[in-house]
RNA sequence: GCGGGCGUAGCUCAGUUGGUUAGAGCGCCGGCCUGUCACGCCGGAGGUCGCCGGUUCAAGUCCGGUCGCUCGCGCCA
């Protein structure tokens, strides 16, 4: 507040514009009656300015900073330093700091050491596409940016650092999404001489502290669900259990059904599963759900509604009273509910019903945390005609390792919050024999394994403690706590969906001189 | 790589079955007002309708292509 009596100062203040930077001197006084504004944090007082200096004047900003009008994201990113001045962004970044700070405090109190690992490392061509960095002294050779510190943290366990953590930047050159950036941050942890129980208990304590920062109370012990049960009941390995719909297996109900679509599928070793849901279900909605089911790979979708005068469904005449009653009992359907049923192979039925469940259901309040455990070790890669590791090839398998690799289980665990995977880890392999066996199961020859991972196999030969750990997606956790759907909202300087940074203009071409030093030449991209 | 949505003033948007001079709110500039804190009043400037091409007497509007942003699929051990 500048009093008009301070004529000169008052006059000069007319030249001030939005976002100018000033220093002001004056007297802080209580506001006069009638001018108090309790909506403002400083609404009780005002600064009676006697003089001020203009420290830096500001151009008119490209968008208004004190308004909550939406602004296109590209413009926000181009002027990110202005965007970050806006209250919601400032709050996101502060929240992120508080989460990181809570993590460090908690883990250090539990004896974890923060140890850095290389950013310039070796490409391990499994998994995601690597970002590559050319070597100048060795033209033709390349570093890769780490997809995660996985192997280094395991080596640290072998070095005797029994509890490691790092807030680690990771890089994956894959197409982006709202929850995926080319570089992202993991809370990376690893512990020696532990089993699943130790790691999960450690994480339960940590997560309690982390969520508390966002005012969310986590259970002392987070519930666990096996992969198999999760796929059956929720049709997903990252279930959002806030949606009050569960998929039921209807194999018993239709084992001897007249309806050939069901009995035929069951006879062929497939499954019949479905769920009940309430809501408005005009015919057109079933048509679009059927279309959706087909686009997800289902052969079809059987539906029906339990109306007061009976069972309304295109297949009504094929189903017996007992079957309808059995279906109601299994799915928990009430009068007026719709039931959706898929008959297909187990994987397709799970996937389709899982998606439909998300389409049809509404999450109910609060938050949901669950550990998904007991994953299969491998999944069949149809294209490559081989087994791929579901988690990663350093995960310890369990089950009968003499049997078909398709039957192996893995000692892996994922933490799922509100239908988003926020962390995943495993107990690792700690002997070279088992590690070689897993590489073999993945179709890697001993020579190939030696070429790619020789350094790991060698390290394992010098006595590696049993160890295991986990990595949490820090960006995703902070986004959840901030109530944002995109992790870009909790990263100070994120990139667009094409991996560009409109602020700096990265990525950008470089001087031919730079390329020459690296022994590189740009080839015209293939035409077309 | 594929599919959906979007692209018009500095910002956020409207723009009819193709039709004359492309509008609004906010911001900006000038003036007035001066107990305001989303001040108020008066006036004004400001447009490559993303870009290229086509159809048409006529294109912001229709068609083809392309670029960018965004959401999703594939991909992401």
């Amino acid at each position: 507040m500048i009093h008009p009596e301070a004529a000169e100062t008052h006059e000069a203040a007319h030249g001030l514009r939005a976002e100018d930077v000033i220093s002001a001197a004056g007297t802080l006084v209580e506001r006069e009656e009638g001018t108090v504004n309790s909506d403002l944090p400083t609404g009780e007082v005002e600064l009676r300015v006697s003089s001020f200096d203009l420290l830096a004047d500001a151009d008119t900003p490209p968008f208004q900073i004190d308004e909550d009008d939406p602004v296109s994201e590209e413009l926000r990113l181009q002027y990110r330093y202005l965007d970050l001045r806006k209250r919601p962004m400032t709050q996101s970044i502060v929240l992120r700091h508080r989460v990181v700070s809570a993590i460090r405090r908690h883990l250090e109190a539990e004896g974890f050491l923060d140890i850095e690992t290389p950013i310039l490392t070796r490409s391990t061509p499994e998994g995601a596409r690597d970002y590559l960095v050319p070597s100048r002294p060795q033209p033709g050779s390349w570093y890769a940016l780490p997809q995660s510190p996985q192997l280094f943290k395991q080596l640290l366990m072998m070095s005797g650092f029994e509890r490691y953590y790092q807030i680690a930047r990771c890089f994956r050159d894959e197409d982006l999404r709202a929850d995926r950036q080319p570089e992202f941050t993991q809370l990376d942890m690893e512990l020696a001489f532990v089993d699943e129980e130790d790691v999960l208990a450690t994480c339960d304590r940590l997560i309690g502290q982390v969520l508390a920062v966002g005012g969310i109370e986590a259970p002392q012990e987070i519930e666990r669900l096996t992969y198999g049960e999760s796929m059956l009941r929720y049709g997903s390995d990252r279930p959002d259990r806030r949606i009050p719909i569960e998929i039921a297996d209807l194999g018993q109900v239709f084992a001897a059904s007249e309806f050939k679509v069901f009995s035929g599928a069951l006879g062929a070793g497939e499954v019949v599963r479905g769920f009940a849901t309430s809501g408005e279900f005009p015919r057109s909605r079933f048509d679009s759900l059927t279309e959706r089911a087909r686009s997800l790979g289902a052969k079809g979708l059987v539906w029906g509604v339990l109306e007061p005068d009976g069972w309304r469904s295109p297949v009504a005449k094929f189903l017996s009273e007992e079957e309808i009653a059995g279906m109601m009992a299994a799915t928990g359907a009430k009068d007026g509910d719709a039931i959706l049923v898929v008959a297909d192979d187990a994987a397709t039925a799970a996937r389709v019903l899982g998606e439909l469940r998300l389409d049809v259901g509404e999450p109910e309040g609060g938050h949901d945390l669950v550990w998904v455990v007991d994953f299969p070790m491998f999944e069949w890669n149809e294209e490559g005609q081989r087994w791929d590791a579901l988690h990663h090839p350093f995960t310890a398998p369990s089950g009968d390792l003499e049997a078909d690799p398709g039957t192996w289980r893995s000692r892996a665990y994922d933490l799922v919050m509100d239908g988003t995977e926020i962390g995943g880890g495993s107990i690792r392999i700690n002997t070279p024999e088992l590690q070689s066996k897993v590489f073999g199961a993945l179709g890697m020859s001993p020579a190939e394994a030696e070429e790619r991972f020789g350094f790991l196999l060698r390290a394992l030969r010098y006595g590696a403690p049993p160890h295991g750990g986990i990595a949490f997606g820090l960006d995703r956790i902070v986004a959840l706590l901030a109530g944002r759907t995109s992790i870009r909202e909790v990263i100070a300087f994120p990139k667009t969906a094409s991996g560009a940074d409109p602020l700096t203009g990265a990525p950008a071409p470089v001087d031919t001189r730079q390329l020459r030093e690296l022994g590189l030449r740009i080839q015209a991209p293939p035409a077309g």
Side-chain angles (χ1 to χ4, degrees), chain A residues 78-93:
Chain A
Q78 191 186 341
Y79 294 93
R80 188 59 153 184
Y81 42 92
L82 299 181
D83 189 43
L84 291 171
R85 289 183 190 174
K86 297 181 82 162
R87 181 74 53 182
M89 285 311 299
T90 307
Q91 284 170 340
S92 284
I93 299 301

Side-chain angles (χ1 to χ4, degrees), chain A residues 108-155:
Chain A
E108 281 162 31
E110 291 211 359
F112 284 79
L113 258 47
D114 177 358
I115 305 175
E116 291 170 274
T117 52
I119 293 293
L120 295 175
T121 180
R122 187 196 163 117
S123 175
T124 53
E126 306 292 311
R129 201 175 289 117
D130 284 321
Y131 279 100
L132 297 175
V133 178
S135 160
R136 182 180 49 79
Q138 297 182 47
S141 285
W142 302 76
Y143 302 98
L145 305 183
Q147 296 179 23
S148 82
Q150 181 62 37
L151 291 170
F152 288 106
K153 69 175 172 179
Q154 290 190 234
L155 295 173

Side-chain angles (χ1 to χ4, degrees), chain A residues 2-299:
Chain A
I2 296 171
H3 208 273
E5 281 165 21
E8 208 172 300
T9 304
H10 191 252
E11 183 60 31
H14 277 291
L16 292 178
R17 297 186 309 168
E19 304 303 316
D20 282 345
V21 181
I22 64 166
S23 77
T27 315
L28 194 67
V29 298
E30 285 186 24
R31 292 191 178 198
E32 283 170 31
E33 217 167 305
T35 66
V36 171
N37 184 341
S38 55
D39 292 340
L40 299 176
T42 60
E44 312 267 315
V45 295
E46 64 189 17
L47 184 67
R48 228 163 238 260
V49 174
S50 53
S51 67
F52 70 87
D53 283 327
L54 179 61
L55 302 178
D57 65 352
D59 285 354
T60 303
F63 51 84
Q64 284 165 258
I65 287 162
D66 57 352
E67 299 250 340
D68 1 305
D69 275 0
V71 178
S72 82
E73 202 169 343
E74 196 177 9
L75 194 71
R76 290 174 56 203
L77 292 183
Q78 191 186 341
Y79 294 93
R80 188 59 153 184
Y81 42 92
L82 299 181
D83 189 43
L84 291 171
R85 289 183 190 174
K86 297 181 82 162
R87 181 74 53 182
M89 285 311 299
T90 307
Q91 284 170 340
S92 284
I93 299 301
V94 170
L95 176 68
R96 186 182 179 115
H97 160 78
R98 291 175 49 223
V99 168
V100 169
S101 178
I103 288 168
R104 291 194 186 283
R105 266 199 314 279
H106 177 82
L107 290 181
E108 281 162 31
E110 291 211 359
F112 284 79
L113 258 47
D114 177 358
I115 305 175
E116 291 170 274
T117 52
I119 293 293
L120 295 175
T121 180
R122 187 196 163 117
S123 175
T124 53
E126 306 292 311
R129 201 175 289 117
D130 284 321
Y131 279 100
L132 297 175
V133 178
S135 160
R136 182 180 49 79
Q138 297 182 47
S141 285
W142 302 76
Y143 302 98
L145 305 183
Q147 296 179 23
S148 82
Q150 181 62 37
L151 291 170
F152 288 106
K153 69 175 172 179
Q154 290 190 234
L155 295 173
L156 287 169
M157 293 302 106
M158 300 170 204
S159 303
F161 297 103
E162 293 184 19
R163 292 182 162 214
Y164 144 97
Y165 88 100
Q166 185 181 191
I167 310 284
R169 199 67 64 85
C170 305
F171 306 85
R172 294 178 190 177
D173 186 7
E174 294 294 343
D175 288 347
L176 308 177
R177 291 284 189 285
D179 61 353
R180 275 174 15 202
Q181 283 274 299
E183 51 179 308
F184 60 99
T185 304
Q186 282 187 346
L187 164 57
D188 196 42
M189 299 165 58
E190 197 77 7
L191 302 80
F193 300 106
V194 292
D195 60 17
E196 290 89 332
E197 295 303 322
D198 300 310
V199 178
L200 266 51
T202 301
C203 292
D204 284 352
R205 291 192 297 275
L206 170 72
I207 287 298
Q209 296 293 309
V210 169
L211 296 194
V213 173
I216 297 169
E217 198 178 333
Q220 291 252 321
E221 207 172 301
I222 294 169
E223 256 182 84
R224 300 180 196 178
L225 193 62
T226 65
Y227 171 88
E229 198 175 351
S230 184
M231 293 306 288
L232 174 62
R233 288 166 62 188
Y234 307 104
S236 167
D237 61 358
R238 48 183 180 90
D240 186 346
R241 302 187 306 168
R242 297 172 306 166
I243 296 173
I245 295 175
E246 281 197 28
I247 298 163
D249 190 276
L250 304 174
Q252 294 283 317
V253 176
F254 294 111
S257 179
E258 297 283 299
F259 187 38
K260 292 289 174 266
V261 170
F262 288 173
S263 53
L266 290 168
E270 298 187 332
V271 301
V272 177
R273 294 179 191 167
F275 63 77
T277 179
S278 52
E280 290 298 309
F281 280 92
R283 176 62 194 254
S284 60
R285 181 136 186 233
F286 288 117
D287 290 342
S288 70
L289 285 171
T290 302
E291 198 179 314
R292 173 102 170 105
R294 287 223 171 89
S295 75
L296 289 164
K299 292 196 261 298

Side-chain angles (χ1 to χ4, degrees), chain A residues 315-395:
Chain A
V315 301
K317 61 173 178 273
F318 302 113
L319 304 184
S320 70
E321 289 297 323
E322 295 77 50
E323 285 166 356
I324 291 168
M327 193 162 59
M328 282 185 71
T331 59
K334 301 182 298 292
D335 284 341
D337 281 0
I339 296 183
L340 303 176
V341 182
V342 168
D344 226 305
D345 63 87
T348 302
R351 184 178 72 248
V352 171
L353 288 166
E355 288 296 327
L356 293 180
R357 176 177 174 273
L358 295 178
D359 291 346
V360 161
E362 268 307 310
E364 288 179 359
H367 292 280
D368 173 50
L369 280 160
V370 63
W371 285 111
V372 179
V373 300
D374 197 23
F375 285 81
M377 182 71 187
F378 302 110
E379 62 186 346
W380 184 247
N381 179 327
E382 198 59 46
E383 211 178 318
Q385 288 294 300
R386 57 156 200 274
W387 293 107
D388 280 348
L390 193 66
H391 201 68
H392 58 55
F394 321 111
T395 295

